[in-house]
Structure formats: C-alpha cells, structure tokens
Amino acid sequence: MRSSVLVIVCISQIFTVAEGGPLRKRTVSEVQLMHDHGELKQVQQRRDWLQVRLRGLHTAPWTRRRFLLEELGGLTAEEIQEALDVFDKLLNPKPS
C-alpha cells in the first residue's frame, strides 16, 4: 500500500514539474510533422466546407440542357436538322 502511494506521488510530481507539456524537447522533425498534420487538417476542412457549399449549387447550362433535351425529345431527326440549318444561317449570314 505504501509503495503504491509513493508511485502515485512520484507520478503526480512529474506531471506537476512538466506542467502538462512534453517531458522532453521535441525535435525539429517532430515539430515539422505536427505542423504538416495541422495544415493537412485545415485543407481537408476547407475542402469539406466547399463541397457542402457546392452541393446545393445548380448551374444554368445543366438546367438549360435538360430543358432543351425535354423539348427536343418529340422532334424527328429531319426537324432537328432543319432547325440547325436555320440557326446556322442566322449565325453565319452570307454577304449580299
């Protein structure tokens, strides 16, 4: 019983002297590793935040493409080609 009390007192003395810090000074590589780990965690948190923000974002071209596909679904190939020819004439008028 007496030896266990002595061990507890010694351990508490070590923690009191160390003030919760490391028992030895860290090497440069350990400090660099801790820095890199913290930086990696920060990058991951930013990436997660950005993914959450982008999840609810709907872009206009996708919505427009879906609308066009639904509207053009009932047309035949000839009608689609005729519409493309009209658009081509509008975009590239022949000089008069």
Side-chain angles (χ1 to χ4, degrees):
M1 180 71 177
R2 191 171 187 199
S3 63
S4 62
V5 172
L6 182 62
V7 170
I8 292 173
V9 169
C10 289
I11 291 174
S12 64
Q13 179 65 26
I14 290 171
F15 286 123
T16 307
V17 170
E19 296 177 354
L23 297 178
R24 62 178 175 77
K25 192 172 181 179
R26 291 192 170 98
T27 63
V28 175
S29 60
E30 287 176 318
V31 172
Q32 184 65 41
L33 179 67
M34 289 170 44
H35 171 75
D36 292 344
H37 181 70
E39 201 170 284
L40 177 66
K41 282 178 63 174
Q42 202 173 39
V43 167
Q44 287 174 338
Q45 287 173 346
R46 275 190 239 134
R47 187 179 300 135
D48 291 343
W49 177 83
L50 185 60
Q51 285 178 349
V52 167
R53 295 290 178 215
L54 290 177
R55 240 181 243 144
L57 187 66
H58 297 289
T59 57
W62 173 253
T63 307
R64 183 176 176 209
R65 183 180 300 147
R66 183 182 298 168
F67 173 75
L68 288 175
L69 288 175
E70 289 172 359
E71 291 297 314
L72 295 176
L75 297 177
T76 64
E78 293 83 20
E79 291 171 329
I80 293 173
Q81 187 59 47
E82 186 178 325
L84 289 173
D85 292 340
V86 170
F87 286 135
D88 190 38
K89 288 179 186 175
L90 289 173
L91 292 175
N92 301 321
K94 294 181 182 177
S96 307

